[in-house]
Amino acid sequence: MTTVPVPIPSRTQFVQEAIKHRILTGQLTPGQPLVETELAESFGVSKTPVREALKTLAGTGLVVMNQYKGVTVRTVDADMAREVYDVRLLLEPEALRRTVRARASLDAAGEALARADAAADAAERSLANREFHRALYLPCGNPLLGRMLDEVRDQAALVSAVAWAAAPSWRREAAEHREILRFALAGDGEGAANALHAHIASFVERAFPRDGADDALR
C-alpha cells in the first residue's frame, strides 16, 4: 500500500496545536526555550512546519521570538494578565448581553459546563472552560467582536493555567459559571453580563493582586 505524504500545511497545523496544547497544560512552562530541532525530532517532522507553527503562535501571543534569545514560551506577569483581562472585561460582557438579547442557543455553554464538571484533569477542565466562555460570546451577532475575543482566548488560557498551578480556584469559578448561565437562560442579559464582569475581574485580582506581589506568579 502506498503511503500518501502529509502536506506541509497539515503538518504545520498539527505541530501548532500540539505545542499550544503543551503550553496550556503546563508541559511547556513560561520562559522555557522552544528549540526548533528538538521540537522537530519530537514530532517527527522537519524544521519547516515547526518554524511556521512558532511564527503563528507568536502572533497569538503564546510564544515570544527574540533575535538573541530565540523562541520561548511567553512569561506571564501581572501586567500581561491585566492587559488580557482588561480586553475581556471591555468586550466579553457586552458580547454576552447581545447573545442573550438575540435569544441565541446556549446549549453549547451548558454542555461545556458538564464537561468541565466531569473533567479528569486540569487540561480537560481548562479546555471546557474556554469552550464555555466562547459559547457565550460567539453567538453575539457581531462576527468581528467574536474574532477579537478569540484573539485573546489563548493568552487568557495561559494566564489561567499559570494561576491554577499556583492556587487552584476552579471550584469557585465553576459556581460562577453556573450563575452566569442561569441569568442568561432566564433571558436576563444585564444580570448575565454583570455576573460575567464580576467573574473575570475577581479572577485576575485574586491571581494578580495589586499589593506588591505582582511577580509572584512569574
Side-chain angles (χ1 to χ4, degrees):
M1 184 174 67
T2 303
T3 301
V4 179
V6 178
I8 287 180
S10 297
R11 287 182 230 160
T12 300
Q13 185 69 25
F14 164 75
V15 172
Q16 178 185 324
E17 291 302 319
I19 295 174
K20 180 166 76 170
H21 179 77
R22 291 185 182 186
I23 291 172
L24 297 182
T25 56
Q27 297 175 61
L28 295 171
T29 57
Q32 182 172 339
L34 300 173
V35 183
E36 287 183 11
T37 52
E38 294 177 359
L39 290 169
E41 183 177 353
S42 172
F43 296 123
V45 298
S46 69
K47 291 197 297 183
T48 299
V50 172
R51 186 177 303 117
E52 293 304 313
L54 291 175
K55 287 179 182 177
T56 301
L57 291 171
T60 66
L62 283 184
V63 309
V64 176
M65 307 185 87
N66 184 286
Q67 181 179 355
Y68 303 104
K69 296 181 180 180
V71 185
T72 58
V73 178
R74 182 168 186 177
T75 299
V76 175
D77 59 21
D79 288 340
M80 177 269 196
R82 289 175 187 147
E83 286 172 5
V84 171
Y85 274 67
D86 190 41
V87 172
R88 293 186 65 194
L89 284 169
L90 289 169
L91 300 181
E92 209 166 317
E94 176 60 24
L96 175 56
R97 191 180 286 112
R98 295 184 181 201
T99 294
V100 175
R101 188 185 306 149
R103 299 182 181 179
S105 172
L106 294 168
D107 290 349
E111 292 166 3
L113 273 188
R115 286 196 299 275
D117 288 340
D121 54 37
E124 286 185 24
R125 190 175 299 114
S126 176
L127 179 59
N129 283 344
R130 292 167 66 204
E131 291 172 350
F132 170 75
H133 279 273
R134 193 167 192 260
L136 296 180
Y137 69 68
L138 205 60
C140 69
N142 185 328
L144 177 58
L145 181 54
R147 288 197 299 272
M148 291 173 70
L149 284 164
D150 272 351
E151 286 183 6
V152 298
R153 190 168 172 241
D154 288 344
Q155 293 179 59
L158 179 59
V159 171
S160 63
V162 171
W164 278 5
S169 58
W170 61 268
R171 286 189 176 86
R172 171 174 175 166
E173 284 133 35
E176 292 171 352
H177 284 172
R178 286 190 286 272
E179 182 73 356
I180 293 164
L181 186 58
R182 184 180 68 81
F183 277 116
L185 289 173
D188 185 352
E190 201 61 36
N194 289 339
L196 178 58
H197 188 284
H199 166 70
I200 295 170
S202 64
F203 176 82
V204 75
E205 286 304 323
R206 285 197 310 275
F208 297 89
R210 299 177 184 273
D211 60 359
D214 285 355
D215 295 327
L217 298 180
R218 279 188 195 222

